[in-house]
Amino acid sequence: MAGILAWFWNERFWLPHNVTWADLKNTEEATFPQAEDLYLAFPLAFFIFMVRLVFERFIAKPCALGLNIQANGPQKAQPNAILEKVFTAITKHPDEKRLEGLSKQLDWDVRSIQRWFRQRRNQEKPSTLTRFCESMWRFTFYLYVFTYGVRFLKKTPWLWNTKQCWYNYPYQPLTPDLHYYYILELSFYWSLMFSQFTDIKRKDFVIMFLHHLATISLITFSYVNNMARVGTLVMCLHDAADALLEAAKMANYAKFQKLCDLMFVMFAIVFITTRLGIFPLWVLNTTLFESWEIVGPYPSWWVFNLLLLLIQVLNCFWSYLIIKIACKAISKGKAGKWNPLHVSKDDRSDIESSSDEEDSVLPAKNPHNPTTNTNGTSGTNGYLTGGPCAEEH
């Protein structure tokens, strides 16, 4: 074990040339990030999860009820032992051949069987009240942590001159405010990593798992090798749009359509500006080029930048979905009087992923695209493969 630990904490991987772990030990004059500090994130993640449960029950739920958001779930499918066995043991989405077989066996028409499976899938979806409470918790945390990050960073020299992230690196002391900011963000993402398995199930589960894993790895990497200054820029920049997304979802669940549209447009503008503009031109520029010039590359530097580039790939993917929805909304609006703040429900639902999809065959009176996802949330620390203002079925 000692050999494994010595290999893992190899100074030539983690630190620049001629720097050792002994050089970064805490002294009376200065405190530096220590790897064991990160253990604090696990009990704090559990505490954040417990705070969330209390918040959703005693704050978010009364707010939802005050907005007339009911806890009623979707219509339940009528009991049927044969269909239930197929649903639980074989498939939740029977193909045409299986539908025809079940139709002959039960003497039901195919449309009725499709409707039963749709209703049975919807039974497993959370109510609008549950969605509202989850979004209100995320909105509150994102708003708090972003506000804290802005207040902290505006007092730092590296916000205004990113080269300050690398001067005298890695001998940059750790301040209490910076330590608190890091541990809070890391704890929150650990809580998201674990609660993802119990929260609303989304189609982008794998993408979000990858996102959380990359974020946790980035925070951990930048803390251990004391890239904390540039790490605070990354965290604050990526928190900028998340509160707006959750606000749009809450407005949608409360049926405040105009507010939902406005929040979504604001979210889209902030997201694309920060993720496709400021992040690559400001942050990636300093981590790739300014740090190369001032400090020079070393193994963990390469890993850190690869993780940042992975985050940027995800940013491009999510931005593509937003831009695609905006283009669809504009093109549809040309057919009539277009309100620039109105993103149609059909379009918005393309951005918000769900725990399930509607069947490909729906009654003709449904004006929406039958293959469009409309339930659930998705995101960027967020959650973003479906529109926050999508209609709930």
Side-chain angles (χ1 to χ4, degrees):
M1 182 59 68
I4 293 175
L5 290 175
W7 170 81
F8 182 80
W9 293 111
N10 189 308
E11 293 165 339
R12 299 284 60 80
F13 171 80
W14 288 97
L15 302 174
H17 187 61
N18 291 331
V19 179
T20 67
W21 292 119
D23 298 330
L24 298 178
K25 289 293 184 182
N26 293 334
T27 65
E28 294 182 359
E29 292 78 21
T31 300
F32 299 103
Q34 305 296 315
E36 53 266 25
D37 297 344
L38 301 177
Y39 290 130
L40 181 61
F42 293 103
L44 188 55
F46 177 75
F47 175 75
I48 288 175
F49 181 73
M50 298 306 295
V51 170
R52 169 187 171 176
L53 297 181
V54 173
F55 179 90
E56 289 185 353
R57 180 170 182 177
F58 296 103
I59 299 178
K61 186 175 181 180
C63 290
L65 296 176
L67 294 170
N68 295 319
I69 298 176
Q70 301 301 318
N72 298 333
Q75 180 182 356
K76 292 186 177 181
Q78 66 183 86
N80 186 290
I82 296 176
L83 295 180
E84 184 68 25
K85 183 177 181 180
V86 173
F87 182 87
T88 56
I90 302 177
T91 179
K92 296 181 180 181
H93 297 270
D95 55 24
E96 184 177 350
K97 184 177 180 180
R98 190 175 298 278
L99 286 172
E100 292 177 355
L102 291 171
S103 175
K104 295 177 181 178
Q105 185 177 358
L106 297 173
D107 196 24
W108 287 18
D109 61 83
V110 171
R111 185 177 294 273
S112 296
I113 298 175
Q114 286 178 323
R115 185 179 301 110
W116 188 95
F117 274 92
R118 183 171 65 252
Q119 291 175 349
R120 181 64 181 84
R121 290 194 300 270
N122 287 339
Q123 282 180 216
E124 300 184 346
K125 298 178 184 178
S127 65
T128 303
L129 177 65
T130 301
R131 299 174 189 279
F132 180 91
C133 292
E134 179 181 321
S135 288
M136 187 171 179
W137 159 251
R138 292 177 183 269
F139 168 79
T140 303
F141 183 87
Y142 289 142
L143 183 62
Y144 167 74
V145 77
F146 176 68
T147 303
Y148 179 86
V150 170
R151 293 181 61 186
F152 165 71
L153 283 171
K154 71 180 183 181
K155 299 180 292 185
T156 64
W158 60 86
L159 176 65
W160 317 106
N161 179 11
T162 53
K163 289 185 177 180
Q164 292 286 341
C165 294
W166 311 108
Y167 291 149
N168 198 36
Y169 174 83
Y171 307 107
Q172 299 168 340
L174 178 69
T175 65
D177 287 345
L178 194 154
H179 178 259
Y180 171 78
Y181 190 23
Y182 249 78
I183 297 300
L184 181 64
E185 287 271 13
L186 182 60
S187 302
F188 179 69
Y189 278 102
W190 272 119
S191 72
L192 286 182
M193 176 74 83
F194 298 135
S195 65
Q196 189 178 11
F197 295 92
T198 59
D199 283 344
I200 299 168
K201 300 301 180 183
R202 300 179 175 90
K203 288 185 65 183
D204 65 340
F205 177 89
V206 175
I207 293 176
M208 289 312 303
F209 184 85
L210 180 63
H211 174 274
H212 297 332
L213 187 62
T215 303
I216 289 171
S217 300
L218 267 171
I219 295 174
T220 302
F221 255 87
S222 59
Y223 188 86
V224 169
N225 62 9
N226 205 14
M227 288 185 180
R229 290 186 176 184
V230 73
T232 57
L233 300 179
V234 176
M235 292 189 298
C236 188
L237 196 62
H238 280 73
D239 289 335
D242 293 330
L244 293 171
L245 176 63
E246 301 303 331
K249 294 175 186 176
M250 289 191 296
N252 175 56
Y253 301 144
K255 301 188 185 303
F256 297 151
Q257 194 60 55
K258 291 184 178 179
L259 179 61
C260 174
D261 290 340
L262 177 61
M263 288 293 102
F264 181 71
V265 170
M266 291 175 61
F267 157 75
I269 293 173
V270 172
F271 186 93
I272 294 173
T273 301
T274 55
R275 307 288 180 102
L276 295 189
I278 299 176
F279 181 66
L281 297 178
W282 187 45
V283 175
L284 290 181
N285 176 66
T286 191
T287 61
L288 288 170
F289 303 110
E290 291 179 349
S291 65
W292 183 295
E293 177 185 345
I294 298 172
V295 179
Y298 53 98
S300 71
W301 178 93
W302 288 102
V303 175
F304 180 71
N305 279 284
L306 285 174
L307 288 171
L308 285 177
L309 291 173
L310 173 60
I311 293 292
Q312 184 60 12
V313 169
L314 294 174
N315 290 339
C316 292
F317 169 71
W318 288 319
S319 297
Y320 161 76
L321 294 176
I322 297 175
I323 294 171
K324 179 181 177 182
I325 286 170
C327 292
K328 287 177 64 178
I330 293 172
S331 63
K332 288 184 178 181
K334 290 179 180 178
K337 186 177 181 180
W338 180 60
N339 177 357
L341 291 183
H342 183 72
V343 183
S344 72
K345 293 177 181 179
D346 211 18
D347 294 323
R348 287 185 303 251
S349 63
D350 287 345
I351 280 204
E352 187 169 357
S353 66
S354 70
S355 54
D356 194 9
E357 288 187 357
E358 294 300 304
D359 288 314
S360 59
V361 180
L362 290 179
K365 65 180 180 180
N366 187 341
H368 302 290
N369 182 348
T371 61
T372 299
N373 255 341
T374 52
N375 287 295
T377 56
S378 162
T380 58
N381 252 39
Y383 294 87
L384 202 233
T385 40
C389 306
E391 180 184 6
E392 301 297 327
H393 288 273

